[in-house]
């Protein structure tokens, strides 16, 4: 390699193993334009390859390269490493852009971005004007943004820019799928330098509870800490411990007090100085507690030992309840290999796995692709703006699940982001460019109209990255903590809030999409364009004719159909008695003069149709049929919701309710709530949200098998705010239904599943009453009617004839089938009934007679075909039981009454099953063939019962004996 590089840097570049694969990669790109690069972690695929492709290392031509990383921390680290290799500072030849932070300059030719930032750029400029090469790093992690960017770039190469070069870089050998996505691209493999890694199985001595939701058994974390101490004692070198999340990292760090090593916490929320320390070699021994970010995205020098807890975090979503959250799961075998490999990067090492060797083979082979398990609303909006609302034409490694896409489409239609055909609206185009989930974009745009741009932006920034747990579950308290905080979260929150505020006030400002630049903007010289690009340009796919143009940029929230502000009569939301309404804490950032009231000009009032809608059987109040927000009457410009703590309380509740209207919740008791979507939820006993009448729930999860969701972050609202934000769920109408065993008729006003007001109905609609009574019959059965013994017998006879003869004889066995035929046999009595007691007065036997086949004349043969009683030789008329379980009619008769009867009696051609009884009426024998019984079975019965009943006749030849129901003495008279 040639070039003006310092000697030390040249040595570092030449030592990277991926250099051997660079010629093959260059050849693949020259021939095909796309390639898949498989290289283990630490080989230099993230640092050397972009420099070579850009012509900064080697003698290749100068090109502009964009490198997409899945995480912000990885993007910053990659840019710093490449700049160090060049002997420069970040912002020179190499820069980076992540949300809220942009460090690039006029000479920048390699820019490292997150996949989310690249996705936004593609939506604004499908051609990526001035970019020659795109490297998608760590694509094996299968993040949704990365899959989407890859699909869009394939589209761009096919339709607009065939000369654009594309590299998919993966740390695993699963390259065939990506080669297929890139149109049969060649696969280039780079061998890594790895050393032997010894595996030590270190399962807990006692069983631990499996993870559920976000919860990890504290006993497992205690065990992990003990394994770390053991590994420090048995091995040398730095130790890297993998844990699922920030909370577990903090817990294990607290358990490692007193170890002879520096304990560092590496995760996306850690302060920049801590991240830098973790990624920089040190003379002192270190223990780095890390999330999955260190699996492949980052290189941690000096590591000789890995402790793997065996857990990971994946997104999960409950589409039925609208609840989404991260879930703790067992890490895949592929992740285990990646983690273990970190111990053998620089020398032989060891991995301590905190599970039994027998469990390893039962772990999933690979992590689940995010597209299969995540909320797809943001993906669906991106696809719609790209021109493929169903994502059917996108080159995705895995297709999106149909059910998740349908749920996403419902959200987008409800917030006004797409029309009924799935095409993006002007509002939807603006939402897509905010870099937010559509729910949060709706809350930002509509909330800014009601509470001001600054407040709306700050609350949405809290919702876009959940605040640390130590901030508490009260969103207003978390808001104030973030304002005065000096931890790693607070600066990121402030930067995001400023970005969102600018996005509301000036949609044309490019900094609102990617964050403020700390150096000169990255402005490559663009060649002459053959196709229009940028805002309002036609999408690459089929959107150019159907998608509406983006609104013209200009000051203020143009083209927005906002949600109304709080009613003027509403005061501040009631706060819990345990927390006062203190003024804004000292240290809160001063209000931006552009934002103080600028976002409130033109505030309007009325109900919204832009919130999520649900089908309701009632008459809906407001404009519930228009999927996009309607216009409202203006209240007057410049009205502000006020200032100080009371206004913050009110603003937070409204913005959260706008984002999640189906999660407004009313208290059932001090800790339990019912959300509008019907989900029960609870706060913890020590929560500051206890005893509040209403909440807007921002974050909730529902552990497996739990009856209620767990509220993790919420804001207090009042009923008026809940009604305003969730107006589409507000219904008022007559409710006549079967409930708790009787008919209930009332007029009810509801907010989704929440009952607001109820009054009894004196004259309910007869049709609704009849329908509710039928529901009762279906739920509790036809036993609600009056069934006499004759009615039961008639039903059994009719059922027998239907089974035997079919034809016009009705099916009366199934309650559900009979309920569906209520018009045929329960009228007019059913229409006259008003309550359960009235059903009990309906004679079921008389009603069943209406089902007989009178029209054909067969009804007259009922007693002939299925007689209620049969006459036996003794002269007795014996009732036939047609309701026997086996379906054959039963004739239970004393044995002596059948003397002389040679053939078994039949009904409708079917022999009855004769239950022969003793003189005392007890079963003696059962037969369907009397002739055979008289010849054989009778002798045994006679021998057994003759001595027991000597007063009754027991002739040797029953075929010729006189039938009787009397004793011998009675017969002699």
């Amino acid at each position: 390699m040639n070039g003006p590089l310092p000697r030390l840097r040249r040595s570092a570049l030449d030592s990277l193993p991926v250099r051997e694969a660079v010629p093959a990669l260059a050849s693949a790109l020259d021939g095909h334009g796309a390639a898949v690069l498989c290289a283990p972690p630490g080989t230099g695929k993230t640092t050397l390859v972009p420099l070579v492709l850009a012509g900064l290392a080697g003698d290749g031509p100068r090109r502009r390269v964009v490198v997409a990383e899945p995480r912000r921390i990885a993007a910053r680290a990659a840019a710093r490493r490449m700049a160090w290799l060049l002997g420069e500072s970040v912002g020179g030849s190499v820069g980076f852009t992540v949300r809220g932070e942009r460090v690039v300059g006029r000479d920048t030719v390699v820019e490292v971005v997150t996949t989310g930032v690249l996705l936004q750029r593609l939506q604004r400029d499908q051609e990526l004007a001035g970019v020659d090469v795109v490297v998608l790093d760590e694509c094996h992690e299968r993040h949704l943004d990365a899959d989407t960017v890859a699909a869009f770039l394939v589209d761009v190469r096919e339709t607009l820019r065939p000369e654009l070069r594309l590299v998919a870089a993966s740390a695993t050998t699963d390259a065939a799928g990506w080669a297929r996505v890139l149109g049969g691209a060649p696969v280039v493999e780079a061998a890594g330098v790895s050393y032997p890694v010894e595996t030590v199985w270190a399962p807990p001595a006692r069983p631990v509870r499996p993870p559920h939701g976000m919860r990890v058994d504290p006993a497992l974390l205690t065990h992990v800490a003990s394994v770390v101490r053991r590994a420090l004692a048995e091995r040398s070198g730095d130790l890297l411990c993998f844990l699922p999340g920030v909370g577990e990292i903090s817990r294990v760090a607290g358990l490692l007090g007193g170890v002879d090593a520096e304990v560092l916490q590496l995760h996306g929320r850690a302060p920049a100085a801590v991240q830098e320390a973790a990624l920089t070699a040190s003379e002192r021994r270190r223990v780095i507690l890390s999330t999955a970010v260190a699996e492949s995205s980052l290189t941690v020098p000096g590591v000789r030992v890995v402790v793997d807890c065996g857990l990971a975090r994946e997104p999960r979503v409950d589409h039925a309840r609208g609840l989404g959250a991260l879930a703790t799961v067992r890490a895949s075998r592929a992740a285990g290999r990646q983690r273990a490999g970190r111990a053998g990067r620089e020398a032989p090492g060891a991995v301590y796995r905190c599970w039994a060797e027998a469990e390893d083979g039962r772990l999933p082979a690979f992590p689940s692709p995010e597209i299969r398990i995540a909320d797809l609303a943001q993906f669906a909006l991106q696809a719609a703006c790209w021109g493929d609302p169903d994502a059917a034409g996108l080159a995705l490694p895995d297709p999106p699940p149909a059910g998740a896409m349908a749920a996403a489409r419902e959200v987008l239609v409800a917030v006004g982001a797409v029309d009924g055909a799935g095409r993006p609206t002007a509002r939807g185009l603006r939402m897509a460019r905010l870099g937010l989930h559509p729910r949060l974009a709706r809350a930002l745009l509509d909330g800014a109209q009601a509470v001001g741009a600054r407040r709306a932006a700050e609350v949405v920034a809290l919702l876009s990255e959940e605040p640390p747990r130590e901030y508490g579950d009260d969103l207003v308290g978390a808001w104030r903590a973030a304002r005065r905080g000096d931890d790693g979260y607070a600066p990121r929150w402030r930067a995001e809030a400023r970005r969102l505020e600018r996005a509301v006030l000036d949609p044309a400002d490019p900094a609102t999409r990617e964050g403020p630049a700390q150096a000169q903007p990255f402005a490559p010289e663009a060649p002459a364009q053959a196709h229009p690009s940028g805002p309002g340009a036609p999408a690459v796919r089929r959107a150019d004719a159907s998608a509406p143009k983006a609104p013209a940029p200009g000051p203020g929230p143009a083209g927005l159909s906002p949600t109304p502000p709080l009613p003027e009569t509403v005061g501040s939301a009631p706060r819990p008695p345990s927390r006062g309404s203190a003024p804004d804490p000292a240290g809160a950032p001063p209000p931006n003069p552009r934002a103080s009231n600028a976002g409130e000009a033109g505030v309007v009032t009325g109900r919204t149709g832009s919130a999520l809608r649900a089908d309701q059987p009632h008459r809906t109040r407001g404009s519930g049929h228009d999927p996009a927000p309607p216009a409202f009457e203006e209240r007057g410009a410049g009205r502000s919701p006020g200032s100080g703590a009371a206004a913050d309380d009110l603003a937070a509740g409204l913005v959260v309710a706008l984002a999640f209207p189906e999660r407004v919740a009313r208290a059932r008791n001090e800790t339990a709530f019912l959300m509008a979507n019907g989900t029960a939820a609870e706060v913890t006993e020590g929560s500051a949200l206890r005893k509040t009448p209403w909440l807007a729930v921002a974050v909730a999860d529902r552990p497996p098998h739990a009856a209620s969701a767990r509220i993790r972050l919420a804001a207090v609202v009042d009923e008026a705010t809940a009604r305003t934000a969730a107006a589409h769920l507000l219904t008022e109408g007559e409710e006549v239904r079967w409930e708790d065993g009787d008919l209930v008729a009332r007029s009810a006003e509801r907010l989704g599943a929440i009952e607001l007001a109820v009054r009894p109905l004196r004259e309910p609609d007869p049709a609704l009453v009849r329908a509710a009574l039928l529901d009762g019959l279906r739920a509790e059965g036809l036993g609600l009617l009056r069934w006499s013994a004759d009615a039961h017998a008639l039903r059994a006879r009719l059922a027998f004839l239907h089974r035997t003869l079919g034809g016009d004889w009705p099916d009366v066995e199934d309650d559900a089938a009979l309920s569906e035929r209520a018009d045929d046999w329960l009228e007019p009595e059913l229409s006259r009934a008003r309550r359960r007691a009235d059903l009990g007065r309906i004679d079921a036997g008389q009603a069943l007679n209406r089902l007989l086949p009178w029209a054909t004349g067969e009804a007259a043969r009922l007693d002939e075909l299925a007689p209620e009683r049969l006459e036996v030789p003794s002269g007795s008329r014996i009732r036939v039981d047609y309701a026997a379980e086996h379906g054959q009619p039963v004739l239970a008769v004393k044995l002596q009454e059948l003397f002389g009867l040679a053939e078994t009696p039949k009904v409708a051609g079917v022999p009855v099953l004769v239950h022969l009884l003793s003189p005392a009426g007890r079963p003696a024998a059962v037969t369907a063939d009397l002739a055979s019984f008289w010849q054989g079975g009778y002798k045994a019965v006679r021998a057994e019962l003759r001595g027991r009943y000597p007063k009754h006749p027991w002739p040797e030849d029953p075929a010729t004996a006189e039938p009787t129901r009397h004793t011998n003495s009675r017969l002699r008279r």
Side-chain angles (χ1 to χ4, degrees):
M1 296 182 184
N2 303 315
L5 301 178
R7 187 170 185 176
L8 177 62
R9 310 309 196 253
R10 182 190 298 274
S11 173
L13 282 169
D14 290 342
S15 69
L16 294 173
V18 79
R19 72 186 185 281
E20 302 296 337
V22 168
L25 178 63
S27 176
L29 291 175
D30 289 339
H32 191 276
V36 179
L37 174 62
C38 283
T43 55
K45 71 179 187 305
T46 302
T47 52
L48 176 60
V49 169
L51 295 178
V52 172
L53 294 177
L56 294 175
D59 53 5
R62 186 63 57 96
R63 299 187 183 96
R64 299 190 183 277
V65 178
V66 170
V67 182
E69 294 286 344
R71 300 176 178 88
R72 284 178 280 187
I73 184 175
R76 294 189 190 97
R80 293 189 186 107
R81 177 66 176 174
M82 282 189 277
W84 178 84
L85 288 170
L86 296 176
E88 300 179 356
S89 298
V90 176
S93 299
V94 180
F96 71 86
T97 301
V98 299
R99 187 200 291 186
E101 187 178 6
R102 181 168 169 80
V103 184
V104 295
R106 293 191 180 277
D107 297 327
T108 299
V109 291
V110 175
E111 184 183 14
V112 189
V113 302
T114 58
T115 49
V117 166
L118 182 54
L119 190 57
Q120 295 301 310
R121 288 189 184 175
L122 281 167
Q123 289 289 12
R124 298 195 311 275
D125 175 13
Q126 288 88 2
E127 291 185 345
L128 285 181
V131 175
D132 301 302
V133 185
V134 176
V135 178
L136 300 177
D137 199 16
E138 312 299 350
C139 57
H140 64 276
E141 294 189 10
R142 299 299 313 279
H143 291 289
L144 185 53
D145 277 355
D147 285 6
T148 310
V149 164
F152 286 3
L153 288 170
V154 169
D155 231 354
V156 170
R157 278 179 42 80
E158 289 178 353
T159 57
L160 294 179
R161 290 196 57 199
E163 79 282 3
L164 179 67
R165 299 184 173 207
L166 181 57
V167 177
S170 171
T172 69
T173 56
D174 183 23
W178 281 105
R180 221 169 22 251
V181 168
L182 300 187
V187 177
V188 178
E189 296 191 12
V193 176
S194 60
Y195 295 88
V197 176
E198 178 188 353
T199 300
V200 179
W201 301 100
R206 289 182 293 276
V208 297
R209 290 187 295 273
H212 61 85
M214 292 286 284
R215 188 181 186 282
V216 176
D217 191 343
L220 175 61
L221 300 181
T222 301
H223 173 69
V224 170
S226 69
V227 173
V228 170
R229 291 179 179 275
R230 170 189 167 186
L232 288 173
E234 295 177 353
R235 311 280 173 168
S236 61
D238 291 349
L239 184 149
L240 176 61
C241 176
F242 286 98
L243 291 157
V246 177
E248 292 75 23
I249 287 177
S250 177
R251 177 71 179 266
V252 172
L255 296 171
L256 291 177
V259 298
D260 186 18
E262 182 183 10
V263 178
L264 299 173
Q265 303 182 32
L266 181 59
H267 51 80
R269 294 182 178 181
V274 175
Q275 295 179 6
E276 187 69 23
L279 301 177
T280 304
S282 171
E283 294 184 1
R284 185 183 177 192
R285 194 176 192 188
R286 301 178 303 160
V287 172
I288 299 103
L289 307 177
S290 176
T291 60
V293 70
E295 279 181 18
S296 56
S297 296
L298 298 174
T299 296
V300 183
V303 171
R304 301 291 184 273
V305 187
V306 167
V307 174
D308 187 356
C309 77
L311 300 178
R313 290 262 157 80
E314 291 183 353
R316 292 288 187 272
V317 61
D318 183 343
H319 296 294
R321 295 176 172 84
L323 298 179
L326 290 173
T328 308
V329 298
R330 294 297 301 270
S332 66
R333 295 197 300 275
R337 288 192 297 271
Q338 291 279 351
R339 296 175 179 185
R342 289 309 194 176
R345 284 279 317 287
E346 300 172 346
V351 57
Y352 288 72
R353 288 176 167 167
C354 298
W355 63 92
E357 184 176 5
E359 297 178 36
D360 198 59
R362 298 194 294 268
L363 298 176
F366 295 97
S368 301
E370 204 170 276
I371 197 169
R372 294 182 184 173
I373 55 178
D375 176 1
L376 298 186
Q378 194 164 4
F379 165 79
L381 180 56
Q382 295 289 348
C385 292
W386 194 254
D388 194 347
D390 297 322
L394 294 178
L396 292 163
D398 291 279
M405 282 296 285
R409 175 74 65 83
E410 289 181 7
V411 171
L412 298 182
V413 171
V415 301
V418 301
D419 61 20
R423 294 184 298 266
T425 62
R427 172 184 173 89
L429 290 171
R430 187 177 180 197
M431 286 181 168
R433 290 166 184 161
L434 289 172
L436 294 170
H437 189 284
R439 288 177 177 270
L440 300 185
R442 180 271 171 114
L444 175 66
L445 298 179
D446 292 352
Q449 292 290 310
V451 302
R454 180 174 63 84
R455 283 197 178 98
E458 289 185 356
V459 175
V460 170
L462 280 172
L463 300 178
S464 65
E465 182 183 345
E466 187 180 339
R469 292 291 176 85
E470 53 266 28
Y471 281 21
D473 60 359
D474 176 14
L475 188 135
V476 173
W479 187 3
R480 293 169 183 160
R483 280 177 169 173
R484 65 174 176 261
D486 56 1
D487 55 4
Y489 176 83
R492 293 195 307 276
W493 169 79
R494 294 189 187 103
E496 178 67 356
R498 286 192 294 268
R499 183 187 76 86
L500 296 177
E501 182 183 356
R502 287 193 299 270
V504 173
L505 297 173
D506 188 1
D509 182 358
T512 65
R513 305 179 186 110
E514 298 175 353
Q518 296 182 12
Q520 292 296 323
F522 179 41
E525 296 178 4
Q529 297 182 18
H531 303 276
S533 63
V540 173
R541 302 196 66 86
R542 291 166 294 279
D544 44 328
S546 58
K549 302 297 183 184
L560 180 63
S561 298
T563 294
L566 300 178
E568 294 183 50
T569 56
V570 179
S572 64
R575 305 302 297 170
S578 60
R579 181 183 67 249
S581 294
D584 287 350
N592 188 321
R594 292 178 60 199
S596 59
N597 282 316
E600 291 138 21
V603 173
V604 291
T605 186
R607 293 199 185 275
T608 180
S610 65
L612 303 184
R613 291 179 291 129
D615 293 334
Q616 293 287 339
H618 302 58
R619 175 172 55 86
T620 302
R621 295 170 57 179
S623 181
H625 299 288
D626 185 356
F632 303 100
E633 298 177 5
E634 293 193 5
R635 191 179 78 172
R639 293 295 298 270
S640 170
S643 60
D648 282 351
D649 288 0
L650 207 56
L654 177 60
V655 173
V656 173
L658 288 174
F660 308 103
E662 75 283 3
R663 292 194 211 162
V664 294
R666 190 169 76 172
R668 287 174 158 175
N669 54 44
E670 288 189 0
T671 60
F673 294 80
L674 176 65
M675 297 189 206
N677 63 8
T679 301
E682 294 181 345
V683 296
T684 60
E685 284 295 332
S687 169
L689 300 173
R690 294 173 68 246
K691 301 181 181 180
T692 54
W694 286 84
L695 289 177
V697 178
V699 181
D701 57 25
R702 187 170 179 266
H705 313 300
S708 298
R710 181 176 48 199
I711 296 174
R712 302 214 322 261
L713 190 65
V716 176
V717 294
D718 55 18
E719 183 175 329
T721 303
R723 285 172 176 265
T724 299
H728 65 292
L729 298 177
L730 194 61
T731 59
E732 185 176 12
E734 294 184 359
E735 294 185 355
V736 182
R737 63 174 179 267
W738 189 266
E739 185 178 279
D740 296 332
D742 207 342
L743 184 132
V744 174
R746 58 190 180 181
S747 175
E749 185 182 20
R750 292 180 176 275
L751 193 66
I754 300 172
E755 197 173 81
L756 299 176
V758 175
R759 58 181 176 81
L761 278 178
R762 294 185 179 179
E763 296 294 334
D765 185 337
L768 296 178
V769 171
R770 184 182 182 279
L773 292 173
L774 274 175
D775 288 341
L777 290 171
R778 295 186 189 102
E780 301 193 26
L782 297 178
L784 294 174
L785 307 177
R786 179 162 59 88
W787 289 88
S788 62
D790 288 342
H792 283 295
L794 174 60
R795 185 179 185 183
R797 294 163 68 195
L798 292 176
F800 165 73
L801 290 176
H802 177 75
R803 290 194 306 270
T804 305
L805 303 178
D808 295 325
W809 294 101
D811 180 6
V812 297
E813 286 190 282
D814 183 51
D815 277 13
L818 275 178
S819 298
E820 295 303 321
R821 298 188 60 189
D823 290 341
D824 298 334
W825 68 291
L826 286 180
E827 294 295 352
E829 293 88 352
L830 181 61
S831 292
R832 296 170 185 163
R834 290 292 178 269
R835 57 186 64 86
R836 179 190 180 109
D838 295 337
L839 293 178
R841 299 187 183 96
I842 299 177
D843 187 331
Q846 180 183 345
L848 281 176
N849 272 297
R850 299 185 181 118
L851 294 177
L852 296 181
W854 298 104
T856 62
E858 284 292 290
R861 300 185 62 201
L862 174 63
D863 289 336
E864 170 194 344
L865 297 174
E868 187 177 351
R869 295 174 181 272
L870 286 178
E871 185 172 343
V872 296
S874 66
S876 299
R877 292 182 58 78
I878 306 300
R879 185 183 293 275
V880 180
D881 181 8
Y882 292 91
E885 292 183 3
H886 45 71
Q888 187 175 5
V890 171
L891 182 70
V893 59
K894 292 181 180 179
L895 184 148
Q896 284 81 4
E897 296 196 56
L898 295 184
F899 288 163
L901 183 63
E903 297 294 331
T904 305
K906 295 181 179 180
V907 291
V910 177
V912 300
L913 188 65
V914 182
H915 286 205
L916 296 164
L917 308 179
S918 70
R922 299 188 180 92
V926 176
T927 182
D929 186 353
L930 271 178
S932 297
F933 174 75
W934 293 135
Q935 294 173 6
Y938 171 72
K939 294 178 182 179
V941 172
R942 178 176 181 267
E944 179 183 352
L945 299 183
R946 182 181 180 186
R948 193 180 303 173
Y949 301 101
K951 296 182 180 181
H952 292 76
W954 298 97
E956 292 186 2
D957 183 9
T960 59
E962 179 182 357
T964 180
R965 57 178 178 269
H966 303 303
T967 61
N968 288 325
S969 59
R970 180 78 177 270
L971 287 173
R972 297 191 192 103
R973 295 180 185 174

